[in-house]
């Protein structure tokens, strides 16, 4: 049975250096271990296109297609385009079996089924949500996706990947050390009943994946793409110790990056991981304003502890990037000014997002959606949700910032994107971020 696994393209503005999205590669490895002939198309790698990949699947006469919708950018018009194409391919009998999986597919499952019930089946760790008419012959693929999503101990990791895959010097190996997330952020799809709680993989399995990558791909730069590498404070120390011992045991130096929460880190943990090649950490912060964190995002962050971690990371040469959401419906001018002032204090380089794009994206059935609906500021669209600012002064600043972006010269940015010149694109984006911060500083009289 021949199956094509597709990761939708997410956008043009972020350089993509990871060979394959981890969620895609682990699914491909699992399906291959069950005897399926797997073709992978990660549309973020080397700039391919989701719809072209779907049409390629039809031309190759595959037995099934799986689309991994595991990113909040698979949303609105982008998700509609995917569903429309799936519907056309199935109605034209060009592809008989198409499955959508990942938390964005299951978050919008009821809307997808209502909009186009024949487009695709939908499944995840909770099971098969939907099978269209005439797709029963594809049930086996759906059942395998469910098994993969559970990430049980017998999961092959990436060791089932095709050994003929060739990495290029700039590519990174993307791995998973866990599933789901322990946080209960109000805006996140993991907080709307999708799947189960955070579940770690055994460190022996993680080290096995690293060794497989080293032996077959020669890759020594690794990105851990799971939501939370450490999980919680209770097991963080033990996990770090097991991981660092495993890395030392490989006898080969590597560089790696992780995603985690600041409260799971300690200065001692940073020093230990620094010795084994830790270079970057992404921390889900979301806001520098305590009231916003607690009342809007439902996050608990010890700000003083965060500053301690930042200071130690700087001393060790570890780069910490803060995942950040500036624009949210309840923002006031005073809070906006405070956020910008604190952003300057901790260092603008720690926040990778363009500020104008750093706004709350609402996912169905989350506490954020219910909160905005109760306040009467939620709007509905096909496969998306919108909202209005409560504070009109903040809304005007946001609109003016958007207009400022539109008025900027776009030639350099467009050229860097079209040429896929990673170094040039990074420089142009960095310059734009600095200019954007200067715009806000001036507008807020800071």
């Amino acid at each position: 049975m021949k199956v094509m696994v597709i990761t939708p393209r997410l956008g043009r503005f972020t350089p993509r250096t990871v060979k394959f999205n981890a969620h895609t590669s682990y699914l491909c490895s699992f399906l291959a271990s069950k005897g399926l002939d797997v073709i992978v198309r990660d549309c973020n790698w080397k700039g391919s296109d989701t719809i072209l990949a779907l049409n390629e699947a039809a031309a190759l006469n595959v037995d099934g297609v799986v689309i991994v919708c595991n990113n909040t950018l698979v949303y609105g018009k982008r998700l509609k385009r995917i569903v429309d194409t799936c519907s056309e391919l199935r109605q034209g009998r060009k592809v008989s079996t198409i499955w959508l999986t990942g938390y964005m597919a299951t978050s919008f499952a009821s809307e997808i089924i209502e909009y186009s019930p024949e487009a695709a089946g939908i499944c995840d760790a909770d099971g098969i949500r939907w099978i269209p008419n005439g797709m029963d012959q594809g049930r086996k693929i759906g059942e395998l996706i469910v098994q993969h999503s559970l990430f049980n101990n017998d999961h092959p990791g990436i060791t089932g990947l095709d050994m003929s895959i060739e990495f290029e010097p700039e590519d990174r190996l993307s791995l998973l050390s866990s599933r789901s997330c322990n946080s209960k952020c109000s805006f996140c799809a993991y907080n709307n009943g999708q799947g189960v709680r955070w579940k770690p993989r055994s460190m022996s399995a993680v080290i096995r994946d690293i060794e497989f990558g080293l032996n077959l791909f020669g890759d020594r730069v690794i990105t851990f793409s799971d939501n939370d590498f450490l999980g919680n404070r209770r097991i963080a120390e033990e996990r770090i110790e097991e991981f660092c011992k495993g890395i030392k045991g490989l006898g080969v130096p590597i560089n790696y990056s992780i995603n985690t929460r600041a409260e799971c880190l300690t200065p001692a943990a940073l020093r230990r991981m620094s010795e084994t090649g830790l270079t970057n950490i992404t921390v889900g912060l979301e806001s520098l304003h305590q009231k916003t964190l607690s009342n809007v995002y439902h996050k608990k962050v010890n700000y003083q502890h965060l500053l301690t971690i930042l200071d130690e990371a700087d001393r060790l040469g570890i780069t910490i990037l803060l995942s950040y959401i500036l624009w949210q419906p309840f923002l006031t001018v005073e809070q906006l000014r405070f956020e910008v002032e604190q952003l300057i204090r901790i260092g603008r380089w720690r926040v990778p997002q363009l500020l104008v794009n750093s706004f709350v994206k609402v996912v169905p059935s989350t506490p954020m959606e219910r909160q905005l609906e109760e306040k009467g500021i939620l709007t509905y669209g096909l496969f998306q949700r919108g909202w209005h600012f409560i504070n009109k002064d903040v809304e005007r600043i946001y609109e003016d910032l958007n207009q400022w972006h539109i008025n900027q010269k776009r030639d350099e940015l467009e050229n860097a994107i079209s040429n896929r010149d990673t170094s040039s694109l990074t420089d142009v984006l960095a310059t734009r971020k600095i200019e954007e911060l200067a715009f806000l500083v001036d507008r807020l009289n800071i």
Side-chain angles (χ1 to χ4, degrees):
M1 184 178 289
K2 184 181 293 185
V3 178
M4 179 177 285
V5 179
I6 300 172
T7 301
R9 191 175 182 188
L10 303 178
R12 303 184 304 153
F13 292 93
T14 303
R16 304 290 175 182
T17 56
V18 172
K19 175 74 175 188
F20 294 129
N21 171 281
H23 295 282
T24 299
S25 60
Y26 278 75
L27 174 58
C28 290
S29 176
F30 183 84
L31 295 179
S33 75
K34 299 300 180 180
L36 275 63
D37 181 6
V38 181
I39 304 168
V40 59
R41 292 291 181 268
D42 187 334
C43 296
N44 293 300
W45 186 71
K46 304 305 179 188
S48 52
D49 179 83
T50 309
I51 307 308
L52 289 177
L54 279 165
N55 288 322
E56 181 189 2
L60 292 173
N61 196 30
V62 300
D63 299 294
V65 170
V66 182
I67 305 176
V68 183
C69 304
N70 224 24
N71 189 292
T72 52
L73 293 177
V74 187
Y75 190 84
K77 292 180 179 179
R78 188 170 280 123
L79 181 54
K80 178 183 181 298
R81 188 166 176 247
I82 292 170
V83 173
D84 284 342
T85 305
C86 291
S87 181
E88 290 170 9
L89 291 174
R90 289 205 69 240
Q91 288 176 5
R93 301 176 184 267
K94 294 180 180 179
V95 179
S96 61
T97 295
I98 302 178
W99 288 96
L100 298 177
T101 189
Y103 58 78
M104 291 309 292
T106 49
S107 293
F108 284 102
S110 60
E111 292 176 41
I112 292 170
I113 295 165
E114 182 179 358
Y115 172 72
S116 185
E118 301 305 314
I122 302 170
C123 60
D124 66 357
D126 283 345
I128 293 176
R129 305 289 187 95
W130 174 253
I131 300 181
N133 291 328
M135 215 181 83
D136 284 335
Q137 72 275 19
R139 179 182 286 272
K140 177 186 176 182
I141 299 173
E143 290 172 346
L144 289 175
I145 296 170
V146 173
Q147 290 179 37
H148 152 74
S149 299
L150 294 173
F151 246 130
N152 290 329
N153 291 333
D154 60 350
H155 195 290
I158 63 166
T159 59
L161 287 178
D162 186 345
M163 294 184 183
S164 67
I165 293 174
E166 294 182 1
F167 275 52
E168 297 181 17
E170 72 273 17
D171 296 332
R172 287 172 174 248
L173 182 63
S174 180
L175 300 180
L176 295 173
S177 72
S178 63
R179 179 193 64 183
S180 194
C181 185
N182 269 332
S183 295
K184 288 295 181 182
C185 303
S186 64
F187 53 84
C188 186
Y190 284 117
N191 199 8
N192 69 353
Q194 305 299 318
V196 296
R197 287 181 61 82
W198 181 82
K199 179 180 180 180
R201 298 178 66 219
S202 70
M203 274 303 167
S204 61
V206 175
I207 298 300
R208 182 190 65 196
D209 283 350
I210 295 174
E211 189 170 22
F212 180 85
L214 289 172
N215 289 339
L216 292 181
F217 306 141
D219 195 74
R220 298 187 182 185
V221 182
I222 296 167
T223 297
F224 284 97
S225 299
D226 36 325
N227 291 283
D228 195 344
F229 184 84
L230 297 176
N232 59 57
R233 283 174 291 185
R234 181 178 59 82
I235 68 170
E237 184 177 345
E238 179 183 347
R239 237 170 114 69
I240 290 168
E241 189 60 29
E242 282 186 59
F243 177 75
C244 290
K245 282 185 178 179
I247 294 297
K248 291 275 190 180
L250 293 175
V252 178
I254 66 169
N255 290 327
Y256 65 94
S257 60
I258 64 172
N259 304 317
T260 192
R261 290 171 292 144
E263 58 264 35
C264 295
L265 293 166
T266 64
L270 289 175
R271 291 191 291 272
R272 183 77 172 99
M273 288 189 288
S274 175
E275 294 170 356
T276 56
L278 178 65
T279 59
N280 295 75
I281 306 174
T282 299
V283 171
L285 175 62
E286 318 319 341
S287 175
L288 292 161
H289 192 278
Q290 199 61 51
K291 185 177 179 181
T292 300
L293 285 169
S294 57
N295 294 356
V296 180
Y297 299 142
H298 300 176
K299 289 182 73 78
K300 295 179 180 179
V301 176
N302 183 325
Y303 189 65
Q304 191 56 51
H305 178 70
L306 173 66
L307 293 178
T308 299
I309 294 301
L310 291 176
D311 287 344
E312 183 64 16
D314 287 346
R315 192 185 69 79
L316 294 169
I318 298 171
T319 299
I320 291 189
L321 300 177
L322 302 176
S323 175
Y324 190 72
I325 304 173
L326 177 59
W327 305 103
Q328 47 90 1
F330 306 100
L331 189 65
T332 67
V333 174
E334 291 73 23
Q335 289 173 340
L336 176 59
R337 181 176 290 110
F338 179 88
E339 294 270 16
V340 173
E341 287 173 343
Q342 295 303 306
L343 190 59
I344 294 169
R345 177 188 175 195
I346 67 169
R348 173 66 188 87
W349 69 91
R350 301 187 196 280
V351 179
Q353 295 96 328
L354 283 169
L355 296 182
V356 74
N357 291 328
S358 184
F359 61 90
V360 168
K361 186 169 287 185
V362 183
V363 176
S365 302
T366 55
M368 174 67 72
E369 184 192 46
R370 293 191 290 273
Q371 185 180 21
L372 300 184
E373 192 171 32
E374 290 169 2
K375 295 294 184 181
I377 57 174
L378 183 69
T379 62
Y380 292 85
L382 185 61
F383 308 142
Q384 63 185 342
R385 303 289 185 269
W387 46 265
H388 300 294
F389 286 104
I390 287 180
N391 188 295
K392 296 304 177 184
D393 290 332
V394 171
E395 184 174 36
R396 279 190 287 272
I397 295 172
Y398 179 77
E399 290 174 348
D400 289 347
L401 181 55
N402 266 301
Q403 189 59 51
W404 174 83
H405 270 282
I406 292 170
N407 293 339
Q408 297 303 299
K409 291 182 180 178
R410 300 182 61 84
D411 292 348
E412 286 185 341
L413 188 58
E414 291 294 342
N415 288 336
I417 293 167
S418 61
N419 296 330
R420 299 196 63 78
D421 182 347
T422 300
S423 59
S424 174
L425 179 56
T426 301
D427 290 343
V428 173
L429 286 174
T431 300
R432 183 65 56 86
K433 291 173 185 180
I434 294 168
E435 292 172 345
E436 185 179 47
L437 181 61
F439 175 95
L440 287 171
V441 167
D442 181 64
R443 183 63 183 268
L444 295 166
N445 297 314
I446 292 174

